């Protein structure tokens, strides 16, 4: 189920293009799923997570980057925290897994499997079970998941602009 701030009707064309298993719903409906993806502008994180039903251990996949301007060089000052630690504060009770924020959409839009190999998907999180579920889910659709460690350390490795895994296009040859 997809959602956005403009409402389900604004997603009709996208949903139709994704096929019969896709649907559109309100933010509250989408956020009630067992695994929820956060893919919004950094400045919209607090608003996107405000009013979401109690997380109660559901998984929140954080695909955000802390970009506040028009280029990846325009970064929010996070102090000593990682962006996912800040996301976790806005989603108390969620099992946060950082993933997808290092990938260029053009490399995975059609398929994470390429003739040269499968796209690496770096995942970081403090909840081992949640991280494993995210990794298993996306391995099943063709990614090659890599455990980047806990949210703090793995999140630092993935930080846009400063982390060595940021924007790294890497494939696993099977």
């Amino acid at each position: 189920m997809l959602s956005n701030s403009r409402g389900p009707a604004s997603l009709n064309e996208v949903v139709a293009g994704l096929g019969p298993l896709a649907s559109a719903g309100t933010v509250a409906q989408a956020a009630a799923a067992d695994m929820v993806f956060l893919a919004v502008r950094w400045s919209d994180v607090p608003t996107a997570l405000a009013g979401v039903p109690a997380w109660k251990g559901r998984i929140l996949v954080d695909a955000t980057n802390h970009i506040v301007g028009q280029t990846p060089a325009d970064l929010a000052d996070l102090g000593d925290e990682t962006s996912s630690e800040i996301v976790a504060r806005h989603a108390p009770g969620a099992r946060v897994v950082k993933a997808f924020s290092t990938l260029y959409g053009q490399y995975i839009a059609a398929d994470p499997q390429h003739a040269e190999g499968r796209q690496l998907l770096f995942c970081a999180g403090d909840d081992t079970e949640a991280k494993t579920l995210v990794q298993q889910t996306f391995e099943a659709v063709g990614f090659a998941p890599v455990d980047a460690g806990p949210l703090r350390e793995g999140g630092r490795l993935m930080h846009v602009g400063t982390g060595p895994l940021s924007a790294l296009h890497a494939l696993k040859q099977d």
Side-chain angles (χ1 to χ4, degrees):
M1 178 179 291
L2 302 175
S3 71
N4 65 21
S5 61
R6 295 177 304 280
S10 69
L11 294 166
N12 287 342
E13 188 175 321
V14 173
V15 167
L18 290 173
L21 297 178
S23 64
T26 65
V27 171
Q29 289 171 319
D34 292 336
M35 187 181 296
V36 177
F37 284 75
L38 179 64
V40 299
R41 290 184 302 244
W42 182 248
S43 60
D44 293 335
V45 167
T47 302
L49 294 173
V52 169
W55 286 94
K56 296 182 183 176
R58 290 179 294 115
I59 297 171
L60 176 60
V61 178
D62 175 19
T64 66
N65 282 309
H66 61 289
I67 300 169
V68 293
Q70 297 300 314
T71 72
D74 300 324
L75 300 174
D77 181 1
L78 305 178
D80 190 40
E81 292 184 289
T82 66
S83 59
S84 290
E85 289 174 307
I86 293 169
V87 166
R89 263 205 331 269
H90 286 284
R95 298 186 297 163
V96 177
V97 176
K98 180 75 166 174
F100 289 94
S101 62
T102 64
L103 300 177
Y104 281 117
Q106 66 188 15
Y107 294 136
I108 61 169
D111 192 340
Q113 296 182 357
H114 306 272
E116 299 84 13
R118 295 183 295 141
Q119 179 69 51
L120 294 185
L121 174 65
F122 300 106
C123 300
D126 296 335
D127 186 297
T128 302
E129 180 187 29
K131 192 168 33 173
T132 298
L133 286 169
V134 170
Q135 291 172 328
Q136 289 172 344
T137 299
F138 289 95
E139 183 163 34
V141 297
F143 285 94
V146 175
D147 187 338
L151 203 56
R152 183 167 186 79
E153 290 79 13
R156 289 207 187 294
L157 293 172
M158 290 188 264
H159 254 199
V160 66
T162 60
L165 303 178
S166 175
L168 176 66
H169 177 58
L171 303 174
K172 177 181 181 186
Q173 296 176 336
D174 293 316

